Structure formats: structure tokens, C-alpha cells
Amino acid sequence: MEQIEKKSFLKEYLITILISFVIGIGLFFLFFFLVDNGGLVGAIDGTGITGLILICVGLLIYISREGFFDILSYGFKQFGSMLFARKANQNNDFASYKNERNVERQSKSKYYLFVMLTGLIFETAFLVLEIIYHSMF
């Protein structure tokens, strides 16, 4: 059973890395061609901004996973169930809702680490390109 869960988590991590890398490459090319039409400055700006965006997205995922936005989701869920659902006020108190969410989070994998890792790869490329640029001039 644990072997199946490890394979599943490994597959999810690889998919997360692949998706964040593809998004990062897309952002890189966007900045690369918009800033300097393919020059070294465009590559420096593209890697730096892309790395920062991916790191910030990873941090936002981490903050969300730790439960920072639970009170907002609880409020919207209660409001929506009050207006549209037949089971109004399914969770009458925030404490039980928070416990359910925490139990649910324990089984989820930590995607944010791999999104931030991809951002760090882009930031490393940024530092290398920055060193090359300053050694030329």
C-alpha cells in the first residue's frame, strides 16, 4: 500500500515540476521577446522575473495550505449553502470545518516545494546570466 502511495506522490511531483517548468519557459519567452527582442538583457530579465513569479506562487500555495484563507472559504461556503443548497449550514461552526480541512491537508502532497524549486532554478540561471553580462562590460 505504501509503495502505491509513493509512486502516486512521485508521479504528482513530476507532473508538478513539468507544469511549473512549462509555465516558467512560457513566461521566460514572453519577457525575453518583449524586453530586448532576444538579447542578453531580455534573457536576464526573463529568468529573473520568471523565477520571482514562480517563487511567489509557491509561497502563496504554502500560505493557502497552512490554512490562512480558511475563514474566507468557510464564509463563502456557508453563504453559498445558505442561498443555493438544500443543506443549509452544513458546518455550523468554524472549528469543525477547520479540523476537516486539516485532516484533508495531511494526506496531500507538498506541491509548493517543487514550484519554488523550479523558481530557484530560474533564479540560478538569472545569477549566471548576470555574471556573464557584468563580465562582458
Side-chain angles (χ1 to χ4, degrees):
M1 184 73 168
E2 289 182 25
Q3 187 72 10
I4 295 172
E5 289 180 11
K6 285 183 181 180
K7 286 183 181 179
S8 174
F9 279 139
L10 181 63
K11 184 178 176 183
E12 291 174 2
Y13 289 149
L14 289 176
I15 290 172
T16 302
I17 290 172
L18 182 68
I19 289 172
S20 62
F21 196 70
V22 167
I23 290 171
I25 292 293
L27 287 171
F28 168 75
F29 282 126
L30 180 71
F31 290 112
F32 182 66
F33 289 117
L34 284 179
V35 173
D36 197 30
N37 292 331
L40 185 60
V41 173
I44 291 170
D45 290 344
T47 54
I49 293 171
T50 300
L52 285 176
I53 288 172
L54 287 173
I55 289 171
C56 288
V57 166
L59 286 173
L60 190 61
I61 293 169
Y62 171 73
I63 289 169
S64 174
R65 181 180 160 86
E66 291 299 312
F68 187 76
F69 301 114
D70 280 351
I71 191 72
L72 290 173
S73 64
Y74 173 74
F76 282 117
K77 188 174 182 178
Q78 288 298 100
F79 182 71
S81 69
M82 182 181 66
L83 290 178
F84 303 113
R86 295 179 187 224
K87 297 179 185 177
N89 298 326
Q90 184 177 2
N91 297 77
N92 287 328
D93 60 341
F94 178 66
S96 66
Y97 177 78
K98 181 86 169 163
N99 287 336
E100 287 176 17
R101 296 289 295 167
N102 286 337
V103 168
E104 182 182 322
R105 284 187 189 110
Q106 296 299 324
S107 64
K108 289 188 177 181
S109 54
K110 299 178 180 180
Y111 300 114
Y112 60 89
L113 293 174
F114 295 96
V115 175
M116 290 193 310
L117 177 70
T118 307
L120 287 175
I121 291 170
F122 277 97
E123 287 301 315
T124 304
F126 166 74
L127 289 174
V128 169
L129 289 173
E130 192 71 33
I131 290 170
I132 290 171
Y133 179 75
H134 286 293
S135 68
M136 289 173 57
F137 297 107

